Amino acid sequence: MGQQVYQHAFANGLVLLAERMEHVRSAAINFMVPAGSAFDLPGKFGTATVLTDLITRGAGDRDSRELSLALDNLGVDRDESVGAINMRFWGSTLSTNAYAALDIFADVIRRPHLPADELEATQALALQDILSLEDAPQQKVMVELRRRYYPAPLNRDRRGLAADIESLTIDDVKNQHAKLFRPNGSILSVAGNIEWERLKDQVEKLFGDWKRSEPTEIVPETHRAESHHIQKDTQQTQIAWAWPSAPIGHPKYYAARAAEGVLSGGMSARLFTEVREKRGLCYSVGVRHETFKDRGTMVGYAGTGADRAQETLDVTLAELHRLKEGATDDEVDRVKAGLKSSLIMQEESTGSRAGSIASDWYFLGRVRDFDEVQAAIDGLTPAAISGYLEQFPVKDVTLVTLGPAALKM
């Protein structure tokens, strides 16, 4: 039997997506709510992170311990995360327990306690997360790269600012939940061995009376990306860079993914081979493609010794520019094999499918089927990568470094 994907938009705007996977005995639940860090108010950066922690500390008629115990008794593996635009709530369990788990998730999303007596603990955890950046230079340089590359408010780090988090009140957190958690704009996706009609009826019962509210729009500010050096007396230098690429939905998107794969798709990729293996310049190097709805970015990182940092940057940039001379058939075949392997593995994971169909709907307003994705992968050629680089050349590169000395582009 082929792929079975169902979709339904409720009267209040909530979108329900489901993929029936008869060959599995589990199901994954994925909520995507437009309440990410970009919505944090000035002077309150980090509210989304604190809310994400506090929201699971009691909901409905269960306190924090009872809520955790109820989910544990259902065998729910779960997580919450904050992105720039969306907050995600995810859970996976046996398909027979998925409907009961959904009842609990409805309480978390709609009726969280947000207990004032636990705010201080969530603030302390958030502050520790910020302080941990000082011991994680790779993360620190990437945070600074995004801050300087993307326009506000897309450039905000989910961790927020220490002073803002310390000054948060429980009313700030509750107001954030009341303002941003709404059905219109939210996506609920489920993948696994589920019954569509039963699922749709349950979601109608749990969320049908959830009231719509006016969405808060994210309008990126006018911005010019700028390079920067973070002075730090260390033996290592962290190098991060970014340049514009094709967003998802763009005709060149899959060619961008192919370029990413040629440069950084495993130990036979160009950056690993030329920069790390042949010259021994760095212990880590690579690029990855990331996207918002309206913009794509190729983001790169290299970690190396301070005495070899400039040479590492020079050789890396040379490899990035050399790609415009053309990829080989062997390189493209390797990339296609890797993308197809990822697609096949995704087909077998309920968690991956729940996340994927929600992301498709968010970015594209529809769910791509496997045949469409496979056809796009099959169509990749060296000429397609060259065409992508003609439209999105490696230029206007934003460079951020961390170490004892600044580097020259």
Side-chain angles (χ1 to χ4, degrees):
M1 184 174 291
Q3 188 179 6
Q4 301 178 70
V5 177
Y6 305 91
Q7 60 193 55
H8 180 75
F10 293 95
N12 59 10
L14 175 67
V15 171
L16 172 64
L17 307 170
E19 181 166 338
R20 179 165 169 76
M21 303 167 68
E22 295 181 351
H23 59 287
V24 302
R25 292 186 292 177
S26 63
I29 298 166
N30 181 83
F31 279 93
M32 186 185 292
V33 182
S37 57
F39 296 96
D40 287 352
L41 297 175
K44 302 183 188 301
F45 294 161
T47 308
T49 290
V50 172
L51 172 57
T52 305
D53 188 341
L54 203 60
I55 201 171
T56 58
R57 299 189 180 217
D61 59 1
R62 299 179 178 92
D63 62 21
S64 182
R65 177 174 172 75
E66 290 168 340
L67 182 65
S68 294
L69 188 60
L71 290 167
D72 288 344
N73 286 341
L74 292 172
V76 180
D77 182 19
R78 57 197 183 273
D79 189 34
E80 305 83 37
S81 63
V82 180
I85 304 298
N86 293 299
M87 196 177 289
R88 285 181 183 262
F89 300 87
W90 175 87
S92 180
T93 185
L94 294 175
S95 56
T96 52
N97 292 339
Y99 305 98
L102 191 57
D103 287 342
I104 300 174
F105 273 107
D107 281 339
V108 171
I109 299 295
R110 298 190 59 188
R111 292 172 289 276
H113 295 177
L114 303 178
D117 60 352
E118 298 204 36
L119 174 62
E120 186 175 347
T122 61
Q123 288 171 304
L125 290 172
L127 292 171
Q128 288 176 36
D129 199 12
I130 293 174
L131 289 174
S132 71
L133 278 178
E134 296 305 316
D135 298 320
Q138 178 177 348
Q139 291 184 42
K140 185 177 178 67
V141 77
M142 296 305 293
V143 166
E144 189 65 21
L145 173 69
R146 289 186 170 86
R147 191 177 76 82
R148 293 178 176 273
Y149 176 80
Y150 287 115
L154 302 180
N155 62 352
R156 292 180 190 159
D157 179 44
R158 62 164 181 80
R159 297 170 185 83
L161 299 176
D164 289 7
I165 287 173
E166 289 174 338
S167 67
L168 282 179
T169 67
I170 194 62
D171 286 339
D172 292 330
V173 181
K174 289 183 175 181
N175 290 340
Q176 189 88 328
H177 178 268
K179 178 181 179 183
L180 298 178
F181 275 59
R182 53 185 172 82
N184 46 316
S186 294
I187 300 169
L188 166 57
S189 58
V190 182
N193 198 343
I194 49 88
E195 299 172 21
W196 168 245
E197 291 299 333
R198 178 182 176 186
L199 175 67
K200 186 173 70 170
D201 289 346
Q202 183 182 14
V203 174
E204 174 71 54
K205 181 182 70 174
L206 295 174
F207 296 96
D209 61 348
W210 194 9
K211 301 300 183 185
R212 296 174 64 101
S213 64
E214 281 298 313
T216 301
E217 298 295 335
I218 292 295
V219 181
E221 297 178 4
T222 301
H223 172 74
R224 182 180 178 85
E226 58 179 15
S227 296
H228 181 67
H229 175 67
I230 304 170
Q231 187 68 32
K232 195 172 181 69
D233 187 16
T234 61
Q235 295 182 340
Q236 305 294 323
T237 294
Q238 316 296 321
I239 307 169
W241 63 89
W243 77 89
S245 185
I248 188 170
H250 191 281
K252 303 292 187 184
Y253 172 73
Y254 281 100
R257 295 291 309 277
E260 172 195 14
V262 170
L263 289 169
S264 192
M267 291 188 290
S268 57
R270 289 191 181 188
L271 291 181
F272 187 92
T273 300
E274 298 296 329
V275 185
R276 187 182 187 276
E277 291 296 285
K278 288 186 178 180
R279 295 174 175 82
L281 288 173
C282 60
Y283 53 85
S284 178
V285 63
V287 298
R288 69 174 178 272
H289 188 274
E290 58 187 43
T291 187
F292 285 97
K293 278 187 177 181
D294 65 339
R295 70 195 73 207
T297 305
M298 201 73 82
V299 177
Y301 166 81
T304 184
D307 58 334
R308 313 200 74 178
Q310 186 63 57
E311 184 181 3
T312 298
L313 176 60
D314 293 343
V315 173
T316 299
L317 288 174
E319 285 302 315
L320 297 178
H321 287 290
R322 188 169 71 87
L323 186 58
K324 69 181 179 182
E325 299 172 8
T328 67
D329 288 332
D330 286 346
E331 286 176 318
V332 174
D333 287 344
R334 173 180 57 79
V335 168
K336 289 162 70 171
L339 291 173
K340 286 182 179 179
S341 177
S342 296
L343 182 64
I344 291 170
M345 288 189 288
Q346 187 185 85
E347 287 184 60
E348 299 175 353
S349 167
T350 57
S352 292
R353 290 308 302 156
S356 181
I357 61 178
S359 293
D360 271 5
W361 191 273
Y362 170 73
F363 283 114
L364 305 172
R366 62 186 182 86
V367 176
R368 297 172 294 179
D369 61 30
F370 293 124
D371 290 341
E372 177 186 347
V373 177
Q374 183 159 311
I377 295 171
D378 286 336
L380 293 173
T381 63
I385 296 177
S386 296
Y388 156 72
L389 288 167
E390 287 178 7
Q391 189 167 352
F392 296 93
V394 183
K395 69 175 187 178
D396 300 326
V397 177
T398 301
L399 175 70
V400 174
T401 55
L402 183 155
L407 307 181
K408 295 180 180 180
M409 192 82 76

